[in-house]
Amino acid sequence: MKGVIFNLLENFICETWGDEKYEEILSLCPLKTKKPFVGPGTYPDSDLMTIANKTAEILGVSLDDALKSFGRYAFPRLAQRYPNFLENIHTARDFLLTVDSVIHVEVKKLYPNAETPKFSYQDLSETHLVMTYTSKRNLFSLVEGFIEGVSDFFDTPIAYQRKDAEPDNNTCVFDLHFASKSE
Ligand code: HEM
């Protein structure tokens, strides 16, 4: 996983619970990586999961809740960092439809060894989209958090249902209903 995701996780923990809490969590993690994480670097997925699991344990929440909160935090920051990816996109639905064919394609141009997940879509109507995530990483709750972050960013409520497949199928289906922008 790219360093940019590790850096966002560090920022999430530091901003929410303080720098000391992050240092405490890190000191309890047996990581393969011994040097600081830098944005363009690539690090073992297992290190990210070790930090996420330890964070959940120390804070007394489930791993799923920790990943979801992290995704919700991370999306607006990624959007701010790569503003050109969102140019001329005005709705949450239109944006989500670009993640597979535009956003993560651009990510791979920036970071050729990035391993982004696969999304496929059933575009059922202006307010109804079914989005299927496939990745051997099975980060279903991170996707859920990203979707909530997209909802916040575009100020558009999204009612969703999530259907997880067995982990070895590596797939999760999100049935999304978009409301009009909040007043
Ligand atoms: C401006 C928008 C976005 C940017 C710049 C971005 C960038 C990235 C980057 C750099 C990675 C790391 C890949 C790696 O280390 O191999 C990643 C992974 C990921 N992205 Fe995105 N992303 C964006 C939007 C989204 C959205 C909206 C979703 C979901 C709805 C999403 C879902 C994921 C997931 C779940 C992963 C983890 C990898 C996996 O599950 O296999 N991303 N993204």
Side-chain angles (χ1 to χ4, degrees), residues 28-44:
L28 298 170
C29 289
L31 300 180
K32 293 186 185 140
T33 306
K34 303 296 173 206
K35 291 184 180 166
F37 299 104
V38 293
T42 301
Y43 305 96

Side-chain angles (χ1 to χ4, degrees), residues 1-2 82 99 103-104 107 114-115 117 133 135 137 143 146:
M1 189 81 79
K2 300 309 293 180
Y82 304 99
V99 174
I103 307 293
H104 282 160
V107 166
E115 288 181 65
Y133 161 86
S135 166
R137 292 171 170 140
V143 181
F146 269 115

Side-chain angles (χ1 to χ4, degrees), residues 1-2 4-5 75 78-79 82 85-86 95-96 99 103-104 107 111 114-117 119 131 133 135 137 139 142-143 146-147 150:
M1 189 81 79
K2 300 309 293 180
V4 61
I5 305 292
F75 175 71
L78 280 172
Y82 304 99
F85 292 1
L86 285 104
F95 174 72
L96 286 170
V99 174
I103 307 293
H104 282 160
V107 166
Y111 306 119
E115 288 181 65
T116 53
F119 286 101
M131 192 169 170
Y133 161 86
S135 166
R137 292 171 170 140
L139 292 170
L142 182 64
V143 181
F146 269 115
I147 289 169
V150 170

Side-chain angles (χ1 to χ4, degrees), residues 3-182:
V4 61
I5 305 292
F6 284 82
N7 291 161
L8 279 168
L9 181 58
E10 174 178 346
N11 293 346
F12 171 58
I13 298 168
C14 290
E15 267 181 43
T16 317
W17 297 282
D19 295 3
E20 299 76 24
K21 189 58 86 184
Y22 180 71
E23 292 308 325
E24 179 193 344
I25 289 166
L26 216 58
S27 71
L28 298 170
C29 289
L31 300 180
K32 293 186 185 140
T33 306
K34 303 296 173 206
K35 291 184 180 166
F37 299 104
V38 293
T42 301
Y43 305 96
D45 289 358
S46 61
D47 278 355
L48 189 81
M49 296 318 293
T50 301
I51 301 172
N53 271 299
K54 190 52 79 182
T55 303
E57 186 191 317
I58 298 263
L59 297 172
V61 299
S62 67
L63 175 63
D64 279 333
D65 281 346
L67 287 174
K68 191 168 137 182
S69 305
F70 171 52
R72 188 171 191 165
Y73 168 92
F75 175 71
R77 274 117 187 134
L78 280 172
Q80 215 171 20
R81 187 167 174 157
Y82 304 99
N84 50 327
F85 292 1
L86 285 104
E87 263 169 24
N88 304 321
I89 297 183
H90 305 294
T91 69
R93 174 181 164 282
D94 287 352
F95 174 72
L96 286 170
L97 280 163
T98 67
V99 174
D100 195 71
S101 59
V102 181
I103 307 293
H104 282 160
V105 172
E106 292 301 320
V107 166
K108 283 192 164 195
K109 288 184 198 162
L110 281 177
Y111 306 119
N113 55 354
E115 288 181 65
T116 53
K118 174 80 197 151
F119 286 101
S120 59
Y121 303 91
Q122 284 171 270
D123 186 3
L124 298 174
S125 78
E126 281 299 307
T127 57
H128 188 192
L129 175 69
V130 176
M131 192 169 170
T132 302
Y133 161 86
T134 307
S135 166
K136 63 177 170 39
R137 292 171 170 140
N138 290 311
L139 292 170
F140 303 165
S141 297
L142 182 64
V143 181
E144 189 175 337
F146 269 115
I147 289 169
E148 293 193 349
V150 170
S151 165
D152 294 339
F153 184 84
F154 287 95
D155 196 15
T156 301
I158 305 175
Y160 62 83
Q161 278 188 319
R162 163 181 159 182
K163 258 179 262 157
D164 298 5
E166 294 301 316
D168 54 7
N169 186 16
N170 302 330
T171 292
C172 183
V173 178
F174 290 88
D175 193 346
L176 311 173
H177 287 271
F178 300 87
S180 43
K181 283 191 177 221
S182 345

